[in-house]
Amino acid sequence: MLEVGIYPVPQEIKTLEGEFSLKEKTIVAVGDSFNPDSVNSAMFLIDGIIERKGFAPELKALSRISQDCPFIFVGSIEDLEDIERRFPISTNELVSHNEGYVMKILDKGVVILGADARGTFYGVQSLLQLMDASGSKIPGLLV
């Protein structure tokens, strides 16, 4: 299995083309419903970025960000319909078991969709671990 610095080691990791560049203009996005669990995980991510990179990304609803803006989406599998309009992710990439998540990293953004609140939080923790290992350029992956 590919070693990328995520612990515990995910069940599956696939390398994808490109990399996501974390920049000060990156937006952390959640679904329009502002699900409290997703917002809490998004705020944990923002705090982690502040600690690691020294800047605070803005938190916005996905529908409020421009198409060309780099973003990190934090949500649950219930948000799939919203996110798949902007980002290439499909139902066969999702996980449904307790505490599971899928994280897809491409040039245009990062999507973390948890099967439940813990899954979303664990996905955010995995992204922060990738930032620790990779810096501001996070390799394209499907986790």
Side-chain angles (χ1 to χ4, degrees):
M1 179 179 286
L2 178 66
E3 287 290 323
V4 295
I6 299 175
Y7 300 98
V9 177
Q11 290 181 347
E12 187 175 355
I13 302 172
K14 293 181 183 175
T15 304
L16 302 175
E17 292 288 319
E19 63 188 13
F20 178 74
S21 295
L22 181 65
K23 301 174 183 166
E24 289 191 37
K25 66 179 183 175
T26 300
I27 300 292
V28 174
V30 295
D32 289 344
S33 67
F34 270 82
N35 173 297
D37 293 326
S38 296
V39 171
N40 287 339
S41 289
M43 293 305 298
F44 183 82
L45 175 61
I46 290 169
D47 288 344
I49 293 171
I50 292 169
E51 181 180 309
R52 288 161 176 81
K53 306 299 176 192
F55 65 88
E58 190 175 352
L59 177 65
K60 287 187 174 184
L62 183 65
S63 66
R64 301 277 183 205
I65 61 175
S66 67
Q67 290 289 334
D68 60 342
C69 184
F71 68 92
I72 301 171
F73 182 84
V74 177
S76 70
I77 56 177
E78 285 86 35
D79 296 310
L80 179 63
E81 188 176 313
D82 291 335
I83 195 64
E84 67 185 353
R85 291 184 199 125
R86 293 185 63 130
F87 195 87
I89 193 161
S90 64
T91 55
N92 65 344
E93 294 172 329
L94 300 180
V95 295
S96 58
H97 58 82
N98 289 344
E99 301 181 354
Y101 67 91
V102 63
M103 176 170 49
K104 192 168 190 178
I105 303 167
L106 299 173
D107 293 344
K108 67 190 298 182
V110 177
V111 170
I112 298 168
L113 296 175
D116 54 23
R118 286 184 183 199
T120 303
F121 181 72
Y122 295 153
V124 166
Q125 288 182 316
S126 295
L127 179 59
L128 290 170
Q129 290 177 33
L130 283 172
M131 286 179 193
D132 289 340
S134 305
S136 295
K137 294 191 181 280
I138 305 162
L141 295 172
L142 177 62
V143 178

